[in-house]
Each structure stands twice: as structure tokens, then as C-alpha cells.
Amino acid sequence: MGIHFREVSHEYASYQVGDYQAINKITLSIEDENEFICLVGHTGSGKSTLAQHMNALIFPTEGEVEINGKIITKKRDKKTNYNLLRKHVGLVFQFPEYQLFEETVEKDIMFGPLNFKISFEEAKAKAVEAIHLVGLNESYLKRNPFNLSGGEKKRVSIAGILAMDPDILVLDEPTSGLDPFGKRQLMELFKNIQKETKKTIVIITHDMDLVYEFANRVIVLNDGDLVYDGNEEDLFKKEELTKWALGLPETIKVLRRLKDQFHLDINPYQKTVDQAYEELKKVMTK
Ligand SMILES: Nc1ncnc2c1ncn2[C@@H]1O[C@H](COP(=O)(O)OP(=O)(O)OP(=O)(O)O)[C@@H](O)[C@H]1O
Ligand SMILES: [Mg+2]
């Protein structure tokens, strides 16, 4: 059934500076299987606001969001159990501090699964499995989440959502603040989860190299408007990229410069360093 936005706007009420419309009349559909979506846009373009509508953490001030068949509008329905929607769509927050609240990492990861009525033993086993998935060892389970480094907190908050096993995973900047190896390791993990389980993964990121390599659909927000929803190939051929404050992946940048300066007969649209290398090698060994 997926997630369907119909003309969704969100206006934050702010007493100091007046009301602020963060997203404007967004219409889009996300299937609950087999999508790998990157959501991009300049700082303040409305990405986190949009993501928080995906599991009814915040409500539209105009329009409606349908999540797994349930319609969400600005009115809260007393009969709807919004927590059940969170089993369907799991959201990892941009700032993990907002998500971690228990005194041990283990309790934190077990919190979600226990809420959905699985046994204590099963929840414990899920915590062990999840901590390994995010690249940490079991010694972290007994630690206090507040004493972890930024990157470790990020991984623990991701483990908490993986343990709930939702159909759709929405991750708000999951790789920010991680070292290059950790970034790639997490992206590979998400890609594998998506491939093996056919879940849908939505990732918010500013990293165009990762977008180009991993996404098969990209959604672009600019000043709260949805300005692009399509594949990663066409996005980087758009003239509007600068207007939307988006950069190019490094591979395209360097190959385009070489192509123009030396009139090389190459295709600059290569996703990885290895592919760029092979493309250049072809003309160099001709
Ligand atoms: N609770 C709030 N109250 C008032 N304004 C808010 C609130 N949260 C966000 N905003 C404003 O709404 C706009 C969109 O914010 P949002 O956090 O969705 O952007 P973003 O695209 O996620 O940015 P970033 O890349 O910096 O994370 C911003 O201008 C922000 O200042
Ligand atoms: Mg954000």
C-alpha cells in the first residue's frame, strides 16, 4: 500500500518570527517494496519535515498523507493507533539524541520490538542481531547511549529501527558524521537489506557521490517544493542543479573537465571511481 502524499503542506507555528511553510503542496507516492530512494535538497529545503510525515510523527497542516491505507490529515483521530504505522514505516532521526533515551544500548534497541508484543527473549536476540548489522560488537549493548561518540550513536539509532523490521525504512542523514569507511559500509548494508528483503529504503543525504552510486530514484526538494522525482541518471544532466544548490558527483566533474579540455571521446556519466578509471583507460590505451 505504501505512502501517498496528496498536496501536503506543513506550516510550523512560530511565535517569534511568524508562521513558516516548510513544505508546499507535495504530491508523491512511495511503494512499500523494492525502492531505493534518495531525498536531497539544500539545507532547510524541507527534507526532515517531509520525512517526519512518512510515519505520522508530524501531521500535515494541509492535504493528506496515506500510510499503509490510513489517511492522515491535520486532525488527530483518537481511534487510530499511530504507533502501528511506525511498525510499517521506521524513521531514523537526523539527530540520534532525539531517538535514544534508555540507560543501555540494549534496552534502547529492544524498546521498539517490545512495543510490538514480541517476547523479551526474542527482543534481546533482535538487539544482538541489529548491533552486528550496524557494524558494532556486542560489548556496546551494555553501554550508556549518551556516552557514545556521534557516529556510534548514529549506528545505535539505526540498529533500533532495524530491530523493528519495518517494511519501509526512512533514514534522515544516516551517514553524516561517519568516517568514509563507515559511510560506505552502511550504504552497502542498506543496499543489501533492500536487495534481500525487497523493502523500500528512503535516505536523506547531501552526498551526491552516494546518491549517484546507490539510488534508483531521487526526489529533490527546493525551498519546500518538490522539483524533481526521477532516476539518478537524468538528474545529473539537469541544468537546474545549481539553482537547486546541488553539486555533481566527483566522477562526473572530473570526467567532464577532461573530456572538454582534451576533446576525449568518453562518457562522463560513470558512477564509481573504478568505472571512471575503466572509461579513461579505454581512450588511453587506444
Ligand atoms: N520546529 C520548527 N519550528 C519552526 N520552523 C521549523 C521547525 N523545524 C523546521 N523548521 C523550518 O522549516 C524549514 C525546513 O526544515 P527541515 O528541517 O525540514 O529542513 P532540511 O531540508 O531537513 O534541512 P537540513 O539539510 O539542514 O537538515 C527550515 O527553514 C526550518 O528552519
Ligand atoms: Mg534535515
Side-chain angles (χ1 to χ4, degrees), residues 22-33:
I23 52 171
N24 315 311
K25 294 199 180 303
I26 304 283
T27 296
L28 81 105
S29 280
I30 293 172
E31 302 308 323
D32 48 15
E33 49 178 61

Side-chain angles (χ1 to χ4, degrees), residues 126-179:
K126 277 192 183 291
V128 174
E129 190 189 340
I131 201 84
H132 284 299
L133 276 176
V134 297
L136 297 176
N137 64 42
E138 281 176 49
S139 72
Y140 281 88
L141 290 172
K142 296 295 167 215
R143 299 212 19 208
N144 182 326
F146 300 98
N147 299 337
L148 301 175
S149 77
E152 289 165 342
K153 280 184 192 152
K154 200 112 221 185
R155 286 170 190 259
V156 169
S157 65
I158 295 168
I161 299 299
L162 291 178
M164 285 168 67
D165 198 25
D167 303 314
I168 302 180
L169 278 140
V170 182
L171 304 126
D172 196 345
E173 303 201 24
T175 58
S176 73
L178 296 185
D179 57 64

Side-chain angles (χ1 to χ4, degrees), residues 47-49 94-95 172-173 204:
K47 302 179 298 297
S48 295
T49 304
Q94 180 168 5
F95 304 105
D172 196 345
E173 303 201 24
I204 297 178

Side-chain angles (χ1 to χ4, degrees), residues 2-8 23 25-31 35 37 39 50 54 64-66 202 217 219-221 226 228-229:
I3 309 174
H4 306 278
F5 282 73
R6 302 189 186 99
E7 304 252 305
V8 173
I23 52 171
K25 294 199 180 303
I26 304 283
T27 296
L28 81 105
S29 280
I30 293 172
E31 302 308 323
E35 294 214 73
I37 301 174
L39 173 56
L50 187 70
M54 293 182 186
E64 63 176 38
V65 186
E66 184 185 325
V202 181
R217 176 178 171 194
I219 296 169
V220 182
L221 291 185
L226 192 156
Y228 181 88
D229 182 355

Side-chain angles (χ1 to χ4, degrees), residues 79-92:
K79 278 179 272 156
T80 301
N81 182 352
Y82 294 103
N83 275 333
L84 283 182
L85 295 175
R86 291 172 197 144
K87 167 83 184 102
H88 185 61
V89 185
L91 171 67
V92 176

Side-chain angles (χ1 to χ4, degrees), residues 12-14 20 22 41-50 94 173 206:
Y12 288 107
S14 163
Y20 184 81
H42 61 79
T43 291
S45 58
K47 302 179 298 297
S48 295
T49 304
L50 187 70
Q94 180 168 5
E173 303 201 24
H206 289 285

